[in-house]
Amino acid sequence: AEEDREAILDDRKSLIEDTCHSCGVESFQCFGTSIWDETLYRAWSEIVTNLIPNIGILETHLNNFCRVCNADEVVLFERATFLVISHAQAADPVEEVKNSDTNASIRPHYKRTPHFDSHRFEKISNIVKQFKLSCGKAQSQFQGMEVNNSRFSAYIDAFTANTYIMVIVSNPNVHSAAITLNIQNARAH
């Protein structure tokens, strides 16, 4: 049952820990997963991330890219499975700052769209995978997409031979051509 999950997971972790220590393995990580929710996706994403050498450098580059694009969030997905490799989020939302004398904008920053859904990556992955399947049935190849609404714009594009990048922007002054050009220029790095 649902309430027994944590106790069962703790019991299994201790069994695995004992076995690992007896074999000389000191460092390991356990994931409590289920086929019925997003935990399996999250565990696989974490495993993929841990297999990437120099992940810290990649995360630094994503944070810089997020800042340069004035994006709310940047996410790097593995190309075939659309598992999350890494992501960067902008600093805390900043309201527009006004000059007290003239009431003119000093720093025109816009309040970023908050992320209410902790499962957004899993949902986005499923949507894009379904869309990719539909493209395949229509004998088309998925390259990328742009989604706009009143609160944000999302750009998903092929980034490297093995990844896709998603850029989320809520600032209405950031134009899609700028994001597309930044993605194109970042491919070289």
Side-chain angles (χ1 to χ4, degrees):
E2 189 76 29
E3 56 275 357
D4 297 331
R5 252 188 192 180
E6 200 65 38
I8 293 169
L9 178 60
D10 289 340
D11 181 52
R12 297 297 186 260
K13 276 184 182 178
S14 68
L15 288 172
I16 293 168
E17 185 175 16
D18 293 343
T19 303
C20 286
H21 288 298
S22 69
C23 296
V25 176
E26 296 298 321
S27 179
F28 65 92
Q29 189 172 1
C30 292
F31 299 98
T33 63
S34 169
I35 61 170
W36 305 111
D37 61 20
E38 75 291 333
T39 55
L40 194 57
Y41 175 91
R42 187 170 290 137
W44 274 113
S45 288
E46 185 75 23
I47 290 166
V48 167
T49 299
N50 287 331
L51 293 174
I52 296 172
N54 302 322
I55 190 70
I57 294 169
L58 175 66
E59 289 171 345
T60 298
H61 288 299
L62 279 180
N63 279 309
N64 289 337
F65 185 73
C66 187
R67 183 184 43 77
V68 166
C69 290
N70 197 17
D72 295 31
E73 191 164 30
V74 176
V75 185
L76 196 63
F77 292 98
E78 193 277 328
R79 190 177 194 111
T81 61
F82 241 78
L83 291 170
V84 172
I85 294 173
S86 185
H87 78 282
Q89 238 175 328
D92 289 338
V94 180
E95 293 286 354
E96 189 172 26
V97 178
K98 301 277 188 177
N99 181 319
S100 58
D101 297 330
T102 64
N103 205 27
S105 293
I106 297 171
R107 285 187 334 217
H109 291 283
Y110 293 86
K111 188 168 177 74
R112 299 187 189 283
T113 303
H115 304 292
F116 296 111
D117 192 348
S118 62
H119 306 297
R120 64 190 178 282
F121 298 143
E122 295 88 346
K123 291 176 181 179
I124 291 166
S125 177
N126 281 328
I127 290 166
V128 172
K129 284 190 284 189
Q130 291 300 316
F131 186 72
K132 283 175 67 175
L133 284 172
S134 297
C135 289
K137 289 177 184 175
Q139 297 183 344
S140 298
Q141 192 172 26
F142 177 78
Q143 172 67 30
M145 65 171 41
E146 180 178 333
V147 177
N148 298 296
N149 67 26
S150 61
R151 293 184 9 215
F152 68 89
S153 296
Y155 308 87
I156 299 175
D157 201 357
F159 193 58
T160 68
N162 299 311
T163 62
Y164 279 95
I165 192 165
M166 179 177 71
V167 181
I168 306 292
V169 179
S170 61
N171 183 338
N173 292 328
V174 176
H175 297 283
S176 64
I179 296 297
T180 304
L181 186 62
N182 283 331
I183 291 170
Q184 181 181 344
N185 289 334
R187 285 187 184 112
H189 298 287

